[in-house]
Amino acid sequence: MYQVKAVITENKFLGAGYHLLNLLVAEIPEAAKPGQFVQVRVTTEGNEPLLSRPISIYRYDAASSSLALVFKVVGKGTDLLAKRNPGEIIELLGPLGNGFAIPETAKRVALIAGGVGMPPLYCLAEKLIRKGSKTEFNLFYGARTKSDLLELSAWERLKVKIFPMTDDGSYGKAGLVTESFQKEHEQTPFDFVVACGPQPMLKAVQQIALATNIPGQLSMEAHMACGVGACLGCVCKTKSGYQRVCVEGPVFEISEVLWE
Amino acid sequence: MYQVKAVITENKFLGAGYHLLNLLVAEIPEAAKPGQFVQVRVTTEGNEPLLSRPISIYRYDAASSSLALVFKVVGKGTDLLAKRNPGEIIELLGPLGNGFAIPETAKRVALIAGGVGMPPLYCLAEKLIRKGSKTEFNLFYGARTKSDLLELSAWERLKVKIFPMTDDGSYGKAGLVTESFQKEHEQTPFDFVVACGPQPMLKAVQQIALATNIPGQLSMEAHMACGVGACLGCVCKTKSGYQRVCVEGPVFEISEVLWE
Amino acid sequence: MSPSLAVELADLKLKNPILPASGTYGYGREFLPFIKPDLWGAVITKGVALVPWTGNPPPRIAETPSGMLNAIGLQNPGVEHFITEALPFLREYQVPVVVNIVGRTIAEYAAVAERLSEHPEVSGFELNISCPNVKEGGIAFGTDPQVAAAVTGEVRKVTKLPLIVKLSPNVTDVTVIAQAVEAAGADCLSLINTLQGMAIDIKKRRPILANQIGGLSGPAVKPVALRMVWQVYQKVKLPLIGMGGIISASDALEFIMAGASAVAIGTGLFRDPSLPEKVIAGIERFLVEEKIANLSEIRGIAQG
Amino acid sequence: MSPSLAVELADLKLKNPILPASGTYGYGREFLPFIKPDLWGAVITKGVALVPWTGNPPPRIAETPSGMLNAIGLQNPGVEHFITEALPFLREYQVPVVVNIVGRTIAEYAAVAERLSEHPEVSGFELNISCPNVKEGGIAFGTDPQVAAAVTGEVRKVTKLPLIVKLSPNVTDVTVIAQAVEAAGADCLSLINTLQGMAIDIKKRRPILANQIGGLSGPAVKPVALRMVWQVYQKVKLPLIGMGGIISASDALEFIMAGASAVAIGTGLFRDPSLPEKVIAGIERFLVEEKIANLSEIRGIAQG
Ligand SMILES: Cc1cc2nc3c(=O)[nH]c(=O)nc-3n(C[C@H](O)[C@H](O)[C@H](O)COP(=O)(O)OP(=O)(O)OC[C@H]3O[C@@H](n4cnc5c(N)ncnc54)[C@H](O)[C@@H]3O)c2cc1C
Ligand SMILES: Cc1cc2nc3c(=O)[nH]c(=O)nc-3n(C[C@H](O)[C@H](O)[C@H](O)COP(=O)(O)OP(=O)(O)OC[C@H]3O[C@@H](n4cnc5c(N)ncnc54)[C@H](O)[C@@H]3O)c2cc1C
Ligand SMILES: Cc1cc2nc3c(=O)[nH]c(=O)nc-3n(C[C@H](O)[C@H](O)[C@H](O)COP(=O)(O)O)c2cc1C
Ligand SMILES: Cc1cc2nc3c(=O)[nH]c(=O)nc-3n(C[C@H](O)[C@H](O)[C@H](O)COP(=O)(O)O)c2cc1C
Ligand code: FES
Ligand code: FES
């Protein structure tokens, strides 16, 4: 866990409010694991915004000291971040959280991404595939519309089978990502599922997994202050009581998570 | 009085924390008078700093819609302003305040500038000289050290007689600007004096003017909120009670000003 | 059909719920280059006393994180000057005029209200009970429920006009004061006035304000203001005017959802004189987007 | 000669006046990658209760202008867990440990203090009297001077260790509470705890926090905190720990000039774990530049 300055090497507009931020940064790429995140201070000027913003690690490479994040502009913090230019410096805390843990025995894994929940799943798939994992990854990727489906070409390069879904049918099938996951799962069952996205999607995935008795992991979101486990601000409800998303999470066993 | 957006055409570092800001802006240059000021919103991002910053008008030209300010970085507002780049937009309120009023009968005028009090005096001299005024202007310009004496070449182009003074003697004479004013005034009396600068300097100028019975004007500073006379936050003490620096000032008759 | 921003506040009918916070808009004339007084639902004036008040020595203003301190000391030219100078100016604009009243004794409050009740241009009063109370023992009128009720009751006796009482946030339980002034005859409550605060100049080693202590306003106080509006809404039947740190339509809507019938903009005016216009337009846009026909549909909705 | 940052606080000798604000630094372990506990003058722990507390449902946090709201609900694993897990960890660092105590009844406060007084690693207590008080009638302990004095007095009976009482800012007159707990045997006062506030999500039309109301902290509250330290300094003889919105050495110096003997950093840690280091270095630099040999030269100097 490091507090480091990062140089922005690229801040690429991916369309529809999404940005890919490429950073040159020490320490964090060496320590990172898929599923972890960083706390980003979006500006060095003034008090605002006061708190750092948690963003998942999308890609990292220790050899080149590079770290990539994908984020969506949804409020003032991400808006400021979108305006930062190459050459500018931002401050990061990370890597934070526990990261994913896929059992080595998993043969056929469903990755279920809703909107901006995609980046940590890419990170996971890329690292495992590059390490020579024999696991078969299937990506169920849902978004509102075509322009919300990001970095599909990167996924294609991984040769992961992609099931794109859009609410409006502008790309892939129309409908919810969980429907296409369920259908595929019924035909050829998965033995592990990993999901990251909005809460209703996570709930639906949990239901399917519990009903069909397969293990898996959910990556959760919460409003955060410290990011390191001290403030107890980011808890989510689990079978073991309130757990900190920034330390015990963001990744939780699928059967552990309860909802408020 | 206008609320307008201005494009930064140049933000020139003058050395030692000073900046010359050239702006392209409608309305204000047409309405401006020497001695007036603008309220500058130094940033469009977030709440901070909350209040606008009052800065005197240094130069203006209606034909080219141009406005120039000279400012010194002393805190977070001026620091942010110093970082703004050409092409960026800032918001201004102005022109504000009353401006100078030199009697037409004044033959020999002393302009007394302390530090960053110089800009409005330049504005005054330039406008009158360009209008063909026959008045003889003498600039007494005091600062801590050489690099705090700004835009001397602009003054030289006006053919104003300059008496530069620095605390450390690094340029012109060593000592207080009021000393050199007093000496010159004793030799060849002035019939009007205009001063802008730190309070101790203004007090000393007032004393000399009152003692030698010459009229004049002081340009005052105060912490401001609204800049338009509504909040009563910017008052200074005068013979007619508390007066608003942003409306009844910033320029006050030299005999009117009292001190707390 | 476009949504309606009209609201009723005691007996006042306002075309929109956006008002200037007392003391930040003078008597309306100063902002004229940017704001025509009839832009507002009603004008709330700077405090008016029975006689002229000098105010505090400068510096009267200090900036703080997302806020500002002021210690104007209620400088004002007195009620007679207000009648001859401010009222004729405001009359032209046909906008409801609520006169904010300050006093050093209960009798002074009542005297100002009585004097102004004769004037048809005056639509109502707002009592600023956060002034230090000299006669009644040096406590601020607004922090003791009995004293707050007494001021309200005495002014109530001399006027039939809508009577708004402005609450101080510097109290342990704002709902106690709110209930006391409701019982004493207030028609409406406005809140919050400023929070007492201080800033120190570490180079000079003394408070920035000549008065040492000042009133904190601006976005910094918004969470406190919202909480108090939300709490008071549960305890009184009176309509509320919410204020404290509004600098956007979204801020204004927060206050309305907490329970405010109208909202006031103070410090926000200083950074952007076009803010009231933007807030009105922004609220209208929100109502359209969210398919809300009028503000009563969302008033107090965040109470759950 | 380099200036001294050492201060004495009741019987505690601190090598510097910078402390973590309770609840923002856990029990010290979480920030270990960035902060060694002995960086601080003393460690103030997260609140410890007699039994584990679950805390409030999420969302527990909302950002506000230059501030944040929290409604953690004092989640904590209880005093026994604290003794077995936290104390052995802190022991290693040889830093004074001040345990912040929370309770639902006066007896609970006293029981925690009694239990911990046996432990030599514990250097003192800070009583958080801003918890809602269940047994004694539903008011917060910290807003009623009698109740505040009663808590203080009962804990005083069971421990000889330095006793710090933490004051709530949600009161009409903080000096009244301060004097009451001074009389009841407190050795030191810390202030301020958070100001009650609220934020509303206008899309969801309800408060952001599940608990609806939360505690406001961060730079936004600094003016209120400074004013209270300044006022309390005039009315009590006890040393004060000032806090509320410190994010720079200059902020810390403002508190010291207002009268604080030491200061605590809370919310500021969240945006920058290296802040305490910077504040310590910044204070040192200021003392050198201004030729001040030790902090007592400037403590309370802004009182005039
Ligand atoms: C572990 C984790 C990983 C994340 N990874 C990504 C990612 O890879 N890409 C991405 O675009 N977003 C990600 N998010 C969500 C991202 O943190 C929020 O979108 C962001 O904080 C919003 O900030 P804002 O200032 O733009 O929005 P505002 O709404 O102005 O923020 C206001 C406050 O709410 C908090 N907040 C708002 N939305 C969220 C949210 N969804 N989760 C947590 N806090 C929130 C902010 O941090 C801030 O404190 C992640 C969140 C978590 C917890
Ligand atoms: C009528 C007028 C004309 C001015 N003209 C110029 C000019 O031409 N060039 C120039 O460099 N400066 C000028 N000043 C001073 C300038 O306004 C301040 O230096 C500036 O506001 C400092 O802001 P800051 O955020 O950098 O400093 P900070 O100290 O961080 O500011 C904190 C607060 O104090 C106020 N403040 C601090 N110093 C002053 C001051 N001297 N006067 C008024 N408010 C102050 C700020 O506006 C802000 O509200 C003028 C001031 C006035 C009143
Ligand atoms: C400069 C200034 C002067 C004020 N004068 C008065 C006043 O005369 N009477 C009054 O009731 N409130 C006065 N207030 C308080 C405001 O009306 C308002 O209650 C407070 O500022 C909170 O709103 P805001 O955050 O939008 O400014 C004043 C506030 C400021 C900033
Ligand atoms: C997340 C959080 C948790 C807190 N928990 C406690 C606590 O357990 N006990 C306590 O006395 N104060 C608690 N506080 C209050 C702080 O100790 C401090 O008084 C307050 O936050 C003001 O300081 P700051 O602005 O530097 O944060 C908490 C504050 C925050 C932000
Ligand atoms: S964000 Fe502070 S504990 Fe997780
Ligand atoms: S700044 Fe508001 S009256 Fe001058």
Side-chain angles (χ1 to χ4, degrees):
Chain A
M1 210 185 286
Y2 302 93
Q3 182 180 16
V4 282
K5 290 192 166 35
V7 183
I8 299 175
T9 53
E10 188 179 26
N11 192 347
K12 191 171 152 191
F13 181 59
L14 302 176
Y18 294 94
H19 285 250
L20 168 65
L21 198 65
N22 278 311
L23 301 167
L24 187 67
V25 59
E27 320 285 8
I28 294 179
E30 273 156 60
K33 286 190 301 180
Q36 289 189 305
F37 65 99
V38 290
Q39 280 272 71
V40 183
R41 282 217 56 71
V42 299
T43 172
T44 48
E45 289 183 354
N47 298 315
E48 296 229 307
L50 185 70
L51 301 173
S52 298
R53 299 302 192 246
I55 306 281
S56 301
I57 296 175
Y58 171 51
R59 305 186 62 171
Y60 62 89
D61 178 51
S64 59
S65 294
S66 66
L67 185 75
L69 311 175
V70 169
F71 67 93
K72 181 178 181 181
V73 175
V74 299
K76 60 180 175 315
T78 47
D79 185 48
L80 279 171
L81 194 57
K83 288 180 181 150
R84 297 280 87 91
N85 293 311
E88 288 185 8
I89 285 176
I90 56 175
E91 219 170 69
L92 302 181
L93 219 63
L96 304 171
N98 56 355
F100 297 111
I102 309 270
E104 300 231 338
T105 54
K107 294 253 148 54
R108 180 169 146 82
V109 171
L111 304 173
I112 308 178
V116 84
M118 178 278 286
L121 300 184
Y122 179 85
C123 193
L124 174 67
E126 188 193 25
K127 289 297 164 194
L128 289 177
I129 289 169
R130 296 241 184 286
K131 262 204 258 167
S133 160
K134 292 281 171 310
T135 311
E136 179 204 331
F137 290 103
N138 295 259
L139 173 70
F140 299 87
Y141 188 3
R144 267 182 314 140
T145 185
K146 187 180 168 184
S147 54
D148 294 322
L149 290 169
L150 310 172
E151 298 283 277
L152 287 178
S153 55
W155 281 99
E156 279 157 11
R157 280 194 297 275
L158 289 184
K159 306 213 162 49
V160 164
K161 185 157 182 205
I162 308 173
F163 298 80
M165 300 285 287
T166 50
D167 296 354
D168 62 2
S170 53
Y171 191 85
K173 289 206 185 138
L176 293 178
V177 69
T178 42
E179 292 164 10
S180 88
F181 159 61
Q182 185 158 27
K183 220 168 119 203
E184 181 68 16
H185 186 39
E186 277 163 12
Q187 280 170 13
T188 323
F190 293 100
D191 53 8
F192 202 81
V193 53
V194 183
C196 184
Q199 193 162 306
M201 184 199 93
L202 297 182
K203 274 191 197 178
V205 171
Q206 188 194 45
Q207 252 170 2
I208 299 168
L210 294 182
T212 58
N213 214 10
I214 55 164
Q217 300 191 314
L218 302 180
S219 180
M220 304 288 288
E221 285 192 359
H223 287 208
M224 291 187 176
C226 71
V228 302
C231 74
L232 308 183
C234 65
V235 298
C236 70
K237 203 169 181 175
T238 75
K239 287 189 180 156
S240 347
Y242 288 128
Q243 299 262 304
R244 296 164 298 181
V245 171
C246 72
V247 173
E248 286 84 24
V251 179
F252 292 91
E253 294 306 318
I254 208 162
S255 57
E256 271 290 302
V257 175
L258 303 175
W259 313 95
E260 287 295 335
Chain B
M1 213 184 285
Y2 302 94
Q3 182 179 17
V4 283
K5 290 192 167 30
V7 183
I8 299 175
T9 52
E10 187 179 27
N11 193 347
K12 191 169 154 195
F13 181 60
L14 302 177
Y18 295 94
H19 285 251
L20 168 65
L21 199 65
N22 279 312
L23 302 168
L24 187 68
V25 59
E27 318 286 7
I28 294 179
E30 272 156 59
K33 287 190 301 181
Q36 290 189 304
F37 65 100
V38 289
Q39 280 273 70
V40 183
R41 282 216 60 67
V42 299
T43 172
T44 48
E45 289 182 354
N47 298 316
E48 296 228 309
L50 185 70
L51 301 173
S52 298
R53 299 302 192 245
I55 306 282
S56 300
I57 295 175
Y58 171 50
R59 303 186 64 172
Y60 62 89
D61 179 51
S64 58
S65 295
S66 66
L67 185 75
L69 311 175
V70 169
F71 67 93
K72 181 178 183 182
V73 175
V74 299
K76 61 179 173 316
T78 46
D79 185 47
L80 278 171
L81 194 56
K83 288 179 181 152
R84 298 281 87 91
N85 293 313
E88 288 185 9
I89 284 176
I90 57 175
E91 218 171 70
L92 302 182
L93 219 63
L96 303 171
N98 56 355
F100 295 113
I102 309 270
E104 300 230 338
T105 54
K107 295 254 149 51
R108 181 168 146 81
V109 171
L111 304 173
I112 307 178
V116 85
M118 178 277 286
L121 300 182
Y122 179 84
C123 193
L124 173 68
E126 188 193 25
K127 288 299 166 193
L128 289 177
I129 289 168
R130 294 244 183 285
K131 261 204 259 168
S133 159
K134 293 280 168 314
T135 311
E136 177 203 332
F137 290 102
N138 295 260
L139 173 70
F140 298 86
Y141 188 2
R144 266 181 315 140
T145 186
K146 186 181 168 184
S147 54
D148 294 323
L149 289 168
L150 309 173
E151 298 282 278
L152 287 178
S153 54
W155 280 100
E156 280 158 11
R157 280 194 297 275
L158 290 184
K159 306 209 162 54
V160 163
K161 185 156 185 209
I162 308 173
F163 298 80
M165 300 284 288
T166 50
D167 296 353
D168 63 1
S170 54
Y171 191 87
K173 289 205 184 145
L176 294 178
V177 68
T178 42
E179 292 164 8
S180 87
F181 159 62
Q182 184 158 28
K183 218 167 123 206
E184 181 69 17
H185 185 38
E186 277 164 9
Q187 279 168 13
T188 324
F190 293 99
D191 53 9
F192 203 80
V193 53
V194 183
C196 184
Q199 194 163 305
M201 184 199 94
L202 297 182
K203 272 191 197 177
V205 171
Q206 189 194 45
Q207 250 169 5
I208 299 169
L210 294 182
T212 57
N213 214 8
I214 55 163
Q217 299 190 315
L218 302 180
S219 180
M220 304 288 288
E221 283 192 2
H223 288 208
M224 290 187 178
C226 71
V228 302
C231 74
L232 308 184
C234 65
V235 298
C236 70
K237 202 169 180 176
T238 73
K239 287 191 180 155
S240 346
Y242 287 129
Q243 299 262 306
R244 297 165 297 182
V245 171
C246 71
V247 174
E248 286 85 23
V251 179
F252 292 91
E253 294 306 319
I254 208 161
S255 57
E256 271 291 301
V257 175
L258 303 175
W259 313 94
E260 286 296 331
Chain C
M1 221 198 73
S2 76
S4 163
L5 293 195
V7 294
E8 286 192 28
L9 213 61
D11 278 344
L12 299 171
K13 290 186 201 335
L14 314 184
K15 65 174 181 292
N16 71 57
I18 310 301
L19 321 173
S22 175
T24 64
Y25 179 65
Y27 301 127
R29 202 192 293 270
E30 291 79 7
F31 272 105
L32 207 48
F34 312 109
I35 304 173
K36 274 184 61 199
D38 56 6
L39 175 72
W40 306 102
V43 164
I44 304 185
T45 71
K46 162 114 201 109
V48 176
L50 193 57
V51 293
W53 288 15
T54 322
N56 290 325
R60 290 178 171 184
I61 281 187
E63 199 182 46
T64 65
S66 296
M68 63 175 278
L69 292 166
N70 87 77
I72 309 300
L74 295 164
Q75 176 181 337
N76 80 87
V79 66
E80 297 308 326
H81 183 274
F82 177 80
I83 290 169
T84 53
E85 296 297 318
L87 275 187
F89 166 77
L90 285 167
R91 183 187 303 134
E92 306 294 307
Y93 294 94
Q94 309 262 349
V95 60
V97 173
V98 173
V99 180
N100 180 283
I101 303 181
V102 298
R104 292 212 173 84
T105 62
I106 293 181
E108 277 182 26
Y109 281 95
V112 175
E114 195 165 11
R115 179 80 178 88
L116 286 171
S117 291
E118 308 156 14
H119 288 269
E121 302 93 332
V122 175
S123 321
F125 298 110
E126 179 182 56
L127 303 187
N128 177 2
I129 55 170
S130 309
C131 333
N133 150 353
V134 186
K135 277 275 175 65
E136 346 285 321
I139 217 184
F141 289 102
T143 54
D144 180 316
Q146 261 101 50
V147 181
V151 186
T152 308
E154 289 305 310
V155 176
R156 179 74 295 169
K157 284 184 197 156
V158 301
T159 186
K160 299 212 152 34
L161 289 176
L163 184 55
I164 303 165
V165 178
K166 185 160 179 181
L167 304 179
S168 165
N170 302 295
V171 295
T172 306
D173 186 350
V174 70
T175 67
V176 172
I177 315 277
Q179 289 170 308
V181 300
E182 176 177 46
D187 299 311
C188 174
L189 305 176
S190 59
L191 66 166
I192 60 172
N193 212 315
T194 55
L195 270 167
Q196 287 202 303
M198 176 178 279
I200 290 172
D201 182 329
I202 62 167
K203 285 286 171 188
K204 298 193 179 142
R205 305 183 186 184
R206 58 166 197 248
I208 294 182
L209 300 176
N211 190 52
Q212 302 178 313
I213 289 176
L216 183 64
S217 63
V221 309
K222 192 184 67 169
V224 175
L226 270 174
R227 183 261 297 178
M228 289 190 169
V229 168
W230 192 87
Q231 289 177 322
V232 168
Y233 184 80
Q234 298 180 340
K235 294 288 177 72
V236 302
K237 301 239 175 317
L238 305 180
L240 308 179
I241 303 174
M243 73 192 87
I246 294 176
I247 56 163
S248 68
S250 154
D251 293 334
L253 287 160
E254 283 191 76
F255 277 94
I256 291 167
M257 291 184 184
S261 293
V263 300
I265 297 176
T267 305
L269 276 180
F270 303 156
R271 61 198 298 272
D272 182 3
S274 65
L275 182 60
E277 210 177 300
K278 290 175 187 161
V279 169
I280 293 168
I283 293 179
E284 211 153 16
R285 204 175 323 117
F286 182 84
L287 296 188
V288 170
E289 281 170 14
E290 304 267 315
K291 301 191 176 38
I292 296 162
N294 69 66
L295 291 168
S296 63
E297 287 180 37
I298 53 170
R299 181 174 316 130
I301 201 167
Q303 295 282 344
Chain D
M1 220 200 68
S2 76
S4 162
L5 293 196
V7 294
E8 286 192 28
L9 213 59
D11 278 344
L12 299 171
K13 289 188 200 335
L14 314 184
K15 65 174 180 293
N16 70 56
I18 310 299
L19 322 172
S22 175
T24 64
Y25 180 66
Y27 301 128
R29 202 190 294 269
E30 290 80 6
F31 273 104
L32 206 48
F34 313 109
I35 304 173
K36 275 183 60 201
D38 56 6
L39 175 72
W40 305 103
V43 164
I44 304 185
T45 71
K46 162 112 201 112
V48 176
L50 193 56
V51 294
W53 289 14
T54 321
N56 291 324
R60 290 178 171 184
I61 280 186
E63 199 183 46
T64 66
S66 296
M68 64 174 277
L69 292 166
N70 87 79
I72 309 300
L74 295 164
Q75 176 181 338
N76 80 89
V79 66
E80 295 309 326
H81 184 274
F82 177 80
I83 290 168
T84 54
E85 296 297 318
L87 276 187
F89 165 78
L90 285 167
R91 183 189 302 135
E92 307 293 307
Y93 295 95
Q94 308 261 349
V95 60
V97 174
V98 173
V99 180
N100 181 282
I101 303 181
V102 297
R104 293 213 172 83
T105 63
I106 293 181
E108 277 182 26
Y109 281 95
V112 176
E114 195 163 13
R115 179 78 178 90
L116 287 171
S117 291
E118 308 155 14
H119 288 270
E121 303 92 332
V122 175
S123 321
F125 298 110
E126 178 182 58
L127 304 187
N128 177 2
I129 54 168
S130 310
C131 334
N133 150 354
V134 186
K135 277 275 177 63
E136 342 287 322
I139 218 185
F141 290 104
T143 55
D144 180 314
Q146 260 102 49
V147 182
V151 186
T152 309
E154 287 307 310
V155 176
R156 178 75 295 169
K157 284 184 198 156
V158 301
T159 185
K160 298 214 151 37
L161 289 177
L163 184 55
I164 303 166
V165 178
K166 185 160 178 181
L167 304 179
S168 164
N170 302 294
V171 295
T172 305
D173 186 350
V174 69
T175 67
V176 172
I177 316 277
Q179 288 169 310
V181 300
E182 176 176 48
D187 298 311
C188 173
L189 305 176
S190 59
L191 66 167
I192 59 172
N193 213 315
T194 55
L195 269 168
Q196 287 203 302
M198 176 179 281
I200 290 172
D201 183 329
I202 62 166
K203 286 283 172 188
K204 298 192 179 142
R205 305 184 185 184
R206 58 165 197 249
I208 294 181
L209 300 176
N211 190 52
Q212 303 179 313
I213 288 176
L216 183 65
S217 63
V221 309
K222 193 185 68 170
V224 175
L226 271 174
R227 183 260 297 179
M228 290 190 169
V229 168
W230 193 86
Q231 289 177 323
V232 168
Y233 184 81
Q234 298 180 339
K235 294 289 177 71
V236 302
K237 301 239 174 320
L238 304 180
L240 307 179
I241 304 174
M243 72 192 86
I246 294 177
I247 56 164
S248 67
S250 155
D251 292 335
L253 287 160
E254 283 191 74
F255 277 94
I256 292 167
M257 291 185 185
S261 292
V263 300
I265 296 176
T267 305
L269 275 179
F270 303 157
R271 60 198 298 271
D272 182 3
S274 64
L275 183 61
E277 209 178 300
K278 290 175 186 162
V279 170
I280 293 168
I283 293 179
E284 210 152 17
R285 204 174 323 118
F286 181 85
L287 297 188
V288 171
E289 282 170 14
E290 304 267 314
K291 301 189 176 41
I292 297 162
N294 69 66
L295 291 168
S296 63
E297 287 180 36
I298 53 169
R299 180 175 316 129
I301 200 167
Q303 296 282 344

